[in-house]
């Protein structure tokens, strides 16, 4: 019987192949970590929504040539993680704000996206 990690890696490769994205490297643990932050900082259903939107933003940045895939993915996940944590802090009464998209900590955020 396969482990959960093996199943997720196999599923990731299969899904990438279905979208003809075999050359794209996905850090499954990093995506799951982002989902966990969103689930615990916002509400549980925010996890898939957050990872989808981060992936979409990364795809827009990569597709427009703003940054390579790995940079776009890291930047999008960093922004999503920051926004999730800031949401949680805001709900707790903290006045911290996430970095604006396009700042040095979010190099590859696509232009024209909310937050710029």
């Amino acid at each position: 019987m396969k482990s959960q990690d093996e199943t997720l890696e196999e599923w990731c490769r299969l899904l990438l192949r279905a979208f003809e994205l075999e050359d794209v490297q996905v850090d499954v643990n990093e995506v799951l970590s982002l989902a966990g932050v969103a689930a615990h900082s916002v509400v549980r259903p925010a996890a898939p929504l957050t990872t989808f939107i981060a992936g979409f933003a990364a795809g827009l940045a990569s597709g427009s040539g703003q940054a390579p895939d790995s940079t776009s993915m890291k930047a999008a996940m960093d922004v999503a993680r920051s926004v999730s944590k800031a949401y949680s802090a805001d709900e707790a009464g903290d006045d911290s704000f996430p970095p604006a998209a396009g700042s040095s900590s979010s190099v590859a955020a696509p232009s024209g996206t909310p937050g710029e």
Side-chain angles (χ1 to χ4, degrees):
M1 183 170 183
K2 289 184 269 186
S3 71
Q4 179 174 302
D5 288 344
E6 291 170 325
T7 301
L8 286 173
E9 287 294 333
E10 179 182 67
W11 171 246
C12 183
R13 285 191 306 276
L14 179 66
L15 198 53
L16 288 169
R17 209 172 20 249
F19 285 108
E20 299 178 4
L21 298 171
E22 294 92 338
D23 58 335
V24 173
Q25 297 298 312
V26 175
D27 185 337
V28 173
N29 289 325
E30 196 59 30
V31 173
L32 295 176
S33 172
L34 172 59
V37 169
H40 295 293
S41 298
V42 185
V43 291
R44 288 184 68 157
L49 182 60
T50 302
T51 56
F52 173 81
I53 292 171
F56 193 81
L60 288 174
S62 291
S64 67
Q66 291 180 17
D69 290 346
S70 60
T71 302
S72 297
M73 283 190 269
K74 180 176 180 347
M77 288 198 293
D78 287 349
V79 168
R81 185 174 282 107
S82 294
V83 171
S84 295
K85 288 179 179 178
Y87 182 89
S88 179
D90 185 48
E91 290 295 303
D94 189 353
D95 289 334
S96 63
F97 294 96
S103 71
S104 61
S105 65
S106 58
V107 175
S111 58
T113 57
E116 284 194 345

